[in-house]
């Protein structure tokens, strides 16, 4: 391997030895960039890689709030402003007990390449807190969000940094945070995306990541196998915003969605989802915030596998949409043994490095999240545009734009992979295409 790439990877590990997730993301991206770096000495001369792995700014802050019993609570808030070479920092807010600086650095790093791939002018950022809304009351969630924004509002802005939702941060939390920003900043601007439609949110934003995942997968199947999703057996991990809307779009295309899982376990429903089951699932997840155990009580032919993920279910295509490293080396082996043909990531880095390698070696079509899940942030970019011009576009227009964005990303990945002698390698294609745009902007703007 080129020693420049290797030196940068090793320096990252040495500097912050405890940040394993960040190391994994850096290693995954940088190793696939080797042919690009080798072909152009400017990247080393201008220290592009060293600068790319160092966030432009990290903000950490105390988030004090009162629970319903009147007891004082303290969480830690973060915003990692990773790279603004091609546009304002852009990326979600993760609210989950697993949140650490390392996880947000990994997500902000990935986001930089993802946002570049969309073709829209958005830099990369990510933020959040180790606060978990599960088990908290409405007022507790609101008080937390208000306290969080009381500090963050001074660091963000519609032309500086535009956060959005992520794991644990849905429309409700975005609404509370936006409200507090508007009050403190005394201006109504598109400083957040994923807002409610009545206050500047874009139609199709809730569906965008899941729909985009399927649009991307559709292009992969068409190009590589000359096929579509009709009657294809699919499984999904994660029943959040991304998972549910992935299922919805797959069903529209005639696929059979037979497996899905949440924190508690996996559902195996051999008959596949239908409209009634999907409506039940949406109500269970988005309104009742309940467990999938309820699904098998209602639809008794379906099986519930306590504590399991869906990977044991034989399928044509699998969609990991929950969280990082949810699909491990041994799960990849099981999926391959059961004949899987396509893995399309809806989450960020859900497959371990070893799992990805197995898929690629076995000739399974594989797309990394930074390409296939970019529809969410893509429509966030469209929300920013609508806010700037003070107009709201109809759902049909946004969905068409989303489709165009996903086809554009797909084709950019395919072309970049081909150009550097790795045809069919979507991981390399995504990293190379995302990298080159940001790198050119960084070189052109000098040492900043
Ligand atoms: O991981 C992601 O791309 C997101 N959480 C969406 C970010 C955004 O700004 O819409």
């Amino acid at each position: 391997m080129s020693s420049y790439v290797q030196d940068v990877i090793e320096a990252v590990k040495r500097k912050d030895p405890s940040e394993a997730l960040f190391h994994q993301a850096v290693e995954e991206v940088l190793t696939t960039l080797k042919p690009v770096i080798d072909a152009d000495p400017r990247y080393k001369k201008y220290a592009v890689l060293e600068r790319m792995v160092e966030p432009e700014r990290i903000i950490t802050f105390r988030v004090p709030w009162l629970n319903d019993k009147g007891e004082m609570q303290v969480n830690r808030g973060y915003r990692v402003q990773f790279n603004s070479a091609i546009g304002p920092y852009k990326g979600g807010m993760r609210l989950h007990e697993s949140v650490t600086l390392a996880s947000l650095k990994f997500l902000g790093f990935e986001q930089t390449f993802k946002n570049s791939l969309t073709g829209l002018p958005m830099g990369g950022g990510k933020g959040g807190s180790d606060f978990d809304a599960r088990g908290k009351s409405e007022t507790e969630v609101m008080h937390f969000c208000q306290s969080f924004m009381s500090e963050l509002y001074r660091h963000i802005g519609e032309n500086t940094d535009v956060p959005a939702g992520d794991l644990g941060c849905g429309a409700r939390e975005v609404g509370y945070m936006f409200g507090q920003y508007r009050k403190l900043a005394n201006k109504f601007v598109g400083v957040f995306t994923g807002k409610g439609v009545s206050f500047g949110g874009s139609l199709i934003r809730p569906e965008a990541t899941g729909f985009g995942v399927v649009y991307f997968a559709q292009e992969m199947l068409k190009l590589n196998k000359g096929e579509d999703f009709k009657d294809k057996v699919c499984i999904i991990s994660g029943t959040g915003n991304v998972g549910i809307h992935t299922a919805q779009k797959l069903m529209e295309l005639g696929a059979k969605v037979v497996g899905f899982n949440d924190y508690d376990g996996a559902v195996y429903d051999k008959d596949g989802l239908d409209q009634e089951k999907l409506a039940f699932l949406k109500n269970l997840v988005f309104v009742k915030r309940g467990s999938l155990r309820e699904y098998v009580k209602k639809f008794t032919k379906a099986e519930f596998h306590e504590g399991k993920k869906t990977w044991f279910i034989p399928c044509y295509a699998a969609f990991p949409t929950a969280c990082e490293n949810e699909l491990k080396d041994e799960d990849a082996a099981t999926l391959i043994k059961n004949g899987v043909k396509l893995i399309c990531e809806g989450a960020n880095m859900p497959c371990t490095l070893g799992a990805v390698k197995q898929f690629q070696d076995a000739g399974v079509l594989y797309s990394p999240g930074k390409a296939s899940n970019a529809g969410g942030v893509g429509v966030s970019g469209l929300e920013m545009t609508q806010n700037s011009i003070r107009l709201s576009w109809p759902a049909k227009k946004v969905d068409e734009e989303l489709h165009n964005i996903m086809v554009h990303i797909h084709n950019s990945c395919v072309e970049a992979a081909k150009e550097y002698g790795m045809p069919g390698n979507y991981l390399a294609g995504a990293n190379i295409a995302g990298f080159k745009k940001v790198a050119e902007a960084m070189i052109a703007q000098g040492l900043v």
Side-chain angles (χ1 to χ4, degrees), residues 330-344:
E330 58 273 23
D331 302 319
T334 307
L335 282 158
I336 292 167
K337 183 167 65 67
N338 288 338
V340 74
K341 298 286 181 290
L342 171 83
I343 306 285
C344 189

Side-chain angles (χ1 to χ4, degrees), residues 314-337:
C315 63
Y316 181 91
F319 296 85
T321 76
C323 63
E324 58 274 9
N325 291 333
E326 59 169 320
L327 197 162
K328 314 229 177 288
D329 297 21
E330 58 273 23
D331 302 319
T334 307
L335 282 158
I336 292 167
K337 183 167 65 67

Side-chain angles (χ1 to χ4, degrees), residues 188-214:
F188 192 116
V189 289
V191 70
F192 239 94
T193 62
K195 301 184 291 299
V197 171
S198 62
F199 53 99
S202 177
L203 292 169
I204 304 294
R205 179 63 189 87
E207 295 85 356
T209 315
F211 282 13
V213 163
V214 180

Side-chain angles (χ1 to χ4, degrees), residues 64-73 136-137 139-140 143:
W65 55 282
L66 276 183
N67 71 10
D68 288 346
K69 293 186 197 144
E71 296 159 345
M72 298 184 190
Q73 309 290 310
K136 307 284 194 305
S137 73
T139 41
E140 288 175 331
H143 287 149

Side-chain angles (χ1 to χ4, degrees), residues 51 54 141 177-178 247 253-254 265 273 287-288 290 292 316 324 331 345 408:
R51 288 193 280 151
E54 191 66 38
V141 171
M177 288 189 193
F178 177 77
L253 299 180
L273 282 176
V287 182
K288 289 167 71 183
L292 281 181
Y316 181 91
E324 58 274 9
D331 302 319
E345 292 186 348
H408 162 81

Side-chain angles (χ1 to χ4, degrees), residues 98-121:
S98 68
V99 164
T100 59
L101 182 56
S103 63
L104 297 178
K105 277 177 72 179
F106 126 62
L107 290 162
F109 182 72
E110 290 277 298
Q111 197 80 44
T112 302
F113 298 90
K114 184 194 310 196
N115 295 2
S116 163
L117 280 170
T118 65
L120 300 174

Side-chain angles (χ1 to χ4, degrees), residues 332-411:
T334 307
L335 282 158
I336 292 167
K337 183 167 65 67
N338 288 338
V340 74
K341 298 286 181 290
L342 171 83
I343 306 285
C344 189
E345 292 186 348
N348 297 309
M349 209 169 72
C351 298
T352 57
L353 290 173
V356 174
K357 179 149 193 335
Q358 288 183 64
F359 292 135
Q360 291 182 327
D361 290 349
V364 175
L365 285 173
Y366 162 79
S367 81
K370 65 171 76 67
S372 39
N373 78 26
V377 75
V379 171
S380 278
L382 303 180
E383 183 170 328
M384 290 165 72
T385 305
Q386 293 169 74
N387 292 164
S388 297
I389 61 174
R390 297 183 193 279
L391 285 175
S392 299
W393 294 338
K396 187 165 176 293
K397 177 177 166 67
V398 180
D399 197 20
E400 280 167 9
E401 293 285 342
L402 167 64
H403 191 259
N404 291 340
I405 290 171
M406 298 317 295
V407 172
H408 162 81
I409 297 173
H410 175 267
N411 295 345

Side-chain angles (χ1 to χ4, degrees), residues 83 109 264:
N83 193 306
F109 182 72
D264 293 332

